[in-house]
Amino acid sequence: MTRHLPWLALLVWVGCSRPSGSDASASAPQTSALPAERDEAALPGKLKFKDADDRERFSLKPKDDGAKLVDGDDRELARLKWKGGALKVSGPDDTPLAHVVGSAGGALTVRDGAQQQVLYTLARQGQGWRLNDARGAVLYTVSPDDDGARVRDAAGVEVARVKAREGKVSLREPGGGTLLATKSEVRADAVACLAFEKLDLALRVALLHQLQTSPTGTSP
C-alpha cells in the first residue's frame, strides 16, 4: 500500500500547481451583456392589443434591432429601430417619421424625422409622467394607481385608466369600459401612453416601447 504513496503525492502536487481558474476559463461560456440603452428581455414575444370585442387592433412584433407595428390584419404600420440610445420611428416605406431619444435625467424627447425639431417631451413628474408639447404646454399626465395608472388631460380631467389584473393589462375609459387589452407582461405606465390621443399611434407605441425596454423607464 505504501508503494503507491509517491504517485499519490505527485498527483496531488500536479493538481495543486495548476493555475487557478484554468478549468473555469476554458469551459465557461462567453457571454456579452445587452447594450445599456435597452433590455430586449423586457418585451418578450409579440405584444398584441385587442379591443373589448376580443378583436386584435394592433401588435408590436420584436425584431433584432427594434420592432414592427402591424394592424389587426398584419399590415405594417410603422417600424421601430434602435440607433444607439435613440428609437427611430419610420413608415412602412422606411421614411423617418420621428426619433425618441432618452436623456440621463429619465426624460424621453420625441423629435421629428430629421431630428431638427422637438415635438414632445415625456418627463418624470413625481412617481408618474408628464407629456409636454413643443411649446412646453402640458398635454397629459400619468400617475400611478393601486393596480395600474391614471391618465389625465391638461385640465386634470381623467381620460383613461390602466388596470393590471389576473395576467391582463387593460386600457380603460374613466367609466371602466375596456378600450384595449393585452395578456403580455407590460408596464402599466407604458400602456398609459396609448391614451395620448393627440399623438399618432406610431408615436404612442414608440413611447410605450421605449419605456418598456429602456432604463429610462425604470420603475420608481
Side-chain angles (χ1 to χ4, degrees):
M1 193 69 187
T2 56
R3 61 179 179 176
H4 295 296
L5 289 178
W7 289 103
L8 179 60
L10 178 61
L11 290 173
V12 172
W13 177 83
V14 170
C16 293
S17 63
R18 184 174 298 167
S20 175
S22 59
D23 282 347
S25 61
S27 59
Q30 298 298 314
T31 59
S32 57
L34 288 172
E37 294 85 4
R38 55 194 170 95
D39 179 4
E40 293 181 350
L43 190 63
K46 180 181 178 182
L47 180 58
K48 182 192 314 181
F49 282 93
K50 294 185 176 182
D51 61 17
D53 296 321
D54 203 37
R55 295 175 300 186
E56 185 174 338
R57 300 303 302 270
F58 60 87
S59 298
L60 196 60
K61 296 181 176 181
K63 299 177 70 66
D64 290 341
D65 56 358
K68 180 171 68 172
L69 176 65
V70 299
D71 66 11
D73 295 319
D74 206 38
R75 291 176 298 205
E76 186 175 0
L77 301 176
R79 300 173 182 178
L80 311 181
K81 189 173 183 179
W82 291 105
K83 295 289 186 179
L87 187 63
K88 178 183 177 182
V89 185
S90 304
D93 60 353
D94 217 25
T95 300
L97 302 177
H99 293 78
V100 183
V101 184
S103 71
L108 298 177
T109 300
V110 181
R111 296 180 175 272
D112 63 4
Q115 300 197 69
Q116 296 180 347
Q117 180 182 356
V118 173
L119 303 178
Y120 306 99
T121 301
L122 184 66
R124 277 290 186 190
Q125 177 171 284
Q127 299 297 304
W129 298 91
R130 179 185 69 251
L131 182 72
N132 293 60
D133 64 13
R135 298 186 302 274
V138 176
L139 297 179
Y140 300 97
T141 60
V142 178
S143 57
D145 200 3
D146 291 340
D147 54 358
R150 293 177 183 261
V151 184
R152 295 179 173 85
D153 63 14
V157 177
E158 184 176 317
V159 296
R161 299 180 183 180
V162 180
K163 297 292 184 181
R165 291 177 179 172
E166 300 176 352
K168 178 186 288 188
V169 183
S170 58
L171 180 69
R172 304 184 182 186
E173 298 172 331
T178 298
L179 298 170
L180 296 166
T182 180
K183 293 183 179 180
S184 299
E185 293 184 7
V186 60
R187 295 160 50 105
D189 56 354
V191 172
C193 295
L194 297 178
F196 298 163
E197 293 190 351
K198 292 183 181 296
L199 281 64
D200 292 337
L201 178 61
L203 296 185
R204 285 181 265 164
V205 173
L207 288 173
L208 179 156
H209 188 59
Q210 181 75 291
L211 283 183
Q212 182 71 10
T213 60
S214 171
T216 58
T218 301
S219 299

